[in-house]
């Protein structure tokens, strides 16, 4: 499959406020434009998940990070540089994203991705991409495309046709950083 064609297809759906099922640097994810509250609400509905359980955003670098967070603790960049595996950072006081993505304590989880499909899609979107595991809330996280429930596949507007035979991948490490430099590991 042609990665550029898949990026075009996914981008078109995202720009229309749709939701996609796509491979990430960890497990398959359900995603949409992180600045579109209606699209974000569609994902919560599909996952049967309470809007109080926040989802994360994928970003492709520093510029996008600073668009969402005015203040980024220095340690965040050190963790990003030193992480050998995908790492999600939870940071304080996000802005320029859909309000229903922001957690009750005014934080947002983000991950910088290098995986080519996600990276190039983000380059074209010029906005963060929502990412949440491709399962109904409370069900196990699928480790391959084959393990994703038909309900999820039918419920999205587009399924990216790449890496469907890849098995494995596990959810990212999650680290919470506060602006007063406290660091807390939520998931190893």
């Amino acid at each position: 499959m042609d990665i550029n064609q898949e990026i075009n297809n996914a981008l078109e759906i995202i720009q229309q406020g749709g939701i996609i099922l796509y491979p990430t640097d960890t497990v398959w994810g359900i995603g949409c434009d992180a600045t579109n509250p209606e699209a974000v609400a569609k994902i919560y509905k599909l996952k049967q998940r309470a809007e109080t359980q926040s989802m994360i955003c994928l970003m492709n670098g520093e510029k996008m990070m600073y668009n969402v967070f005015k203040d980024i603790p220095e340690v965040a960049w050190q963790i990003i540089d030193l992480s050998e595996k995908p790492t999600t950072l939870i940071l304080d006081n996000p802005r320029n994203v859909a309000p229903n993505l922001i957690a009750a304590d005014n934080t947002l989880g983000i991950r910088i991705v290098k995986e080519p499909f996600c990276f190039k899609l983000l380059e074209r979107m010029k906005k963060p991409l929502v990412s949440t595991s491709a399962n109904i809330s409370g069900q196990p996280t699928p480790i391959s495309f084959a393990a994703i429930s038909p309900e999820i596949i039918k419920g999205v507007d587009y399924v990216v046709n790449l890496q469907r035979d890849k098995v494995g991948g596990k959810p990212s490490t999650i680290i919470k950083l506060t602006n007063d430099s406290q660091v807390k590991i939520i998931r190893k």
Side-chain angles (χ1 to χ4, degrees), residues 37-99:
E38 290 80 20
V40 170
K42 281 187 196 171
I43 297 181
Y44 281 119
K45 190 173 174 214
L46 176 61
K47 283 184 65 91
Q48 300 167 26
R49 181 178 179 141
E51 290 206 2
T52 49
Q53 287 181 284
S54 45
M55 298 185 288
I56 74 158
C57 290
L58 301 182
M59 300 187 180
N60 66 353
E62 207 169 302
K63 190 174 168 203
M64 207 176 270
M65 291 256 306
Y66 277 113
N67 190 34
V68 175
F69 302 99
K70 204 170 99 187
D71 301 307
I72 300 173
E74 187 49 46
V75 66
W77 301 114
Q78 293 165 353
I79 292 169
I80 289 167
D81 289 343
L82 297 171
S83 296
E84 283 171 20
K85 59 180 200 168
T87 300
T88 297
L89 298 178
I90 300 176
L91 301 172
D92 287 335
N93 309 323
R95 58 194 179 153
N96 301 330
V97 293

Side-chain angles (χ1 to χ4, degrees), residues 7 49 56 96 104 172 175 183 187:
I7 288 166
R49 181 178 179 141
I56 74 158
N96 301 330
S172 62
I175 300 174
V183 177
R187 178 171 73 197

Side-chain angles (χ1 to χ4, degrees), residues 129-170:
L129 176 68
V130 171
S131 187
T132 179
S133 55
N135 57 336
I136 303 287
S137 210
Q139 304 276 324
T141 298
I143 59 156
S144 67
F145 181 76
I148 299 170
S149 81
E151 201 175 343
I152 293 283
I153 293 171
K154 284 192 197 101
V156 298
D157 300 303
Y158 186 68
V159 180
V160 173
N161 195 7
L162 296 168
Q163 301 179 34
R164 292 203 181 171
D165 43 9
K166 188 181 119 185
V167 175
K170 50 182 207 178

